[in-house]
Amino acid sequence: MRKPLPVRRVAAVASGAAASRRPAPALTATPLDYTYDGTFEGLLTVLFTIYDWKAAPNSIQPEATAQTGLFAQPAHRETDEALAARVWDGLLRTMDQEARTRLYHVFLSEDVERELLIFRYVDLALRSPQDVADNYANADVRRVQRLAQQMFREKHRMEAFVRFEKTTDELFHATIEPDMDVLPLIAAHFTKRYADQRWLIYDRRRHYGLYYDLSRTDVVQFEQSGPASTAGVSATVLDEREPLFKVLWQAYFDHVNIPERKNLKLHRRHMPLRYWKYLSEKQPREMRFEPIQNKQPLAGKEVVAGQKRLPE
């Protein structure tokens, strides 16, 4: 089932259309345990409800994985797109656009405390007379900044480490398994860079992907019929030239490698091990590496072929 790629918008906790900043209401009602549908728009709806009901959250959890205690005060909220839009727009009255974007990145980080962290950050922004983004004395502000930086690094790595394989029906397929949900953030990059070919990037951990059909990029979801045994697609659906491309790709990396400058510690820091199973250059070699014989002996020394010989 395909659906259009959603445009993520954050909401504003303040109601009304007035541009002036209003103080946040006191949360005097009995605290509740909120649940939502797991989407960012659903979380924004919960944020609106917290201040509308004046009830602080004991917990905020996706309904599918919610764990409630014996004395919990459950309160489920259905997603309201209109309320979510009001919350997203209203946040600009208390923080700048960059700080607002960090909240979306924190949500995509899938941190175990992301919902309450976002609420505490928003509540601090509503009650602070100064820009909350500069308040690094606050632990929540530092945590939001750290998660946003981690998301940026993960996004950058995915844009660099995605390796496509061509199938028999002219579709370029790539499998990824990032630590964070980066697909919504890399969609624009790959849509612009590979605008002349059909491609699919599938997140194996979250069981959904991005599909570009030469006109637009859609979110696609797959039903998981059983445990996946391999990291890539079946060899029966790959283009017959794909094994050759893989060998050429590996040969290129072998020949640009400089063994004398080998530094595995630095290499793993820039290219963590968890990405290796999806990189063509890291797969077992089907052909043994043979260095290029491009040197000629000269009076007990070696010079690169093509250079001028020095007079004796």
Side-chain angles (χ1 to χ4, degrees), residues 61-78:
Q61 304 177 72
E63 184 181 23
T65 59
Q67 297 181 358
T68 57
L70 181 62
F71 302 102
Q73 300 288 332
H76 179 70
R77 288 295 289 150
E78 295 293 337

Side-chain angles (χ1 to χ4, degrees), residues 32-178:
L32 300 174
D33 294 276
Y34 295 94
T35 58
Y36 67 110
D37 61 0
T39 65
F40 188 57
E41 289 76 12
L43 177 59
L44 295 176
T45 305
V46 170
L47 291 180
F48 183 93
T49 304
I50 290 173
Y51 293 96
D52 186 40
W53 293 356
K54 298 181 175 61
N58 279 327
S59 64
I60 306 175
Q61 304 177 72
E63 184 181 23
T65 59
Q67 297 181 358
T68 57
L70 181 62
F71 302 102
Q73 300 288 332
H76 179 70
R77 288 295 289 150
E78 295 293 337
T79 298
D80 188 316
E81 295 285 347
L83 292 182
R86 289 173 61 184
V87 177
W88 181 245
D89 295 336
L91 286 179
L92 288 181
R93 300 169 191 162
T94 61
M95 63 185 71
D96 59 27
Q97 188 170 0
E98 183 178 354
R100 187 182 68 166
T101 302
R102 290 196 197 106
L103 297 182
Y104 180 48
H105 292 175
V106 169
F107 180 81
L108 293 178
S109 71
E110 299 179 339
D111 185 82
V112 293
E113 297 182 353
R114 59 180 180 172
E115 292 92 355
L116 286 178
L117 178 60
I118 291 174
F119 160 72
R120 292 195 299 266
Y121 189 93
V122 170
D123 190 70
L124 179 65
L126 288 173
R127 304 182 190 280
S128 176
Q130 300 177 349
D131 187 2
V132 67
D134 298 330
N135 185 12
Y136 290 106
N138 186 277
D140 292 327
V141 174
R142 295 196 304 271
R143 180 63 177 163
V144 167
Q145 178 71 17
R146 191 178 306 113
L147 288 173
Q149 290 175 345
Q150 292 174 359
M151 173 60 72
F152 175 80
R153 286 195 295 267
E154 191 76 353
K155 170 183 176 293
H156 177 71
R157 286 168 174 167
M158 284 299 99
E159 292 174 348
F161 295 155
V162 168
R163 299 290 185 263
F164 287 99
E165 294 179 309
K166 189 177 181 181
T167 63
T168 54
D169 60 351
E170 302 293 324
L171 174 68
F172 290 87
H173 173 276
T175 302
I176 63 175
E177 198 171 346

Side-chain angles (χ1 to χ4, degrees), residues 165-169 232-240 242-243:
E165 294 179 309
K166 189 177 181 181
T167 63
T168 54
D169 60 351
V233 298
S234 173
T236 58
V237 300
L238 291 178
D239 186 275
E240 61 181 3
E242 188 60 34

Side-chain angles (χ1 to χ4, degrees), residues 3 16 23 74-75 86 122 170 172 206 224 235 246 256 305 308:
K3 59 181 180 180
R86 289 173 61 184
V122 170
E170 302 293 324
F172 290 87
R206 296 162 186 85
Q224 191 72 9
K246 181 179 178 180
V256 298
K308 293 184 178 180

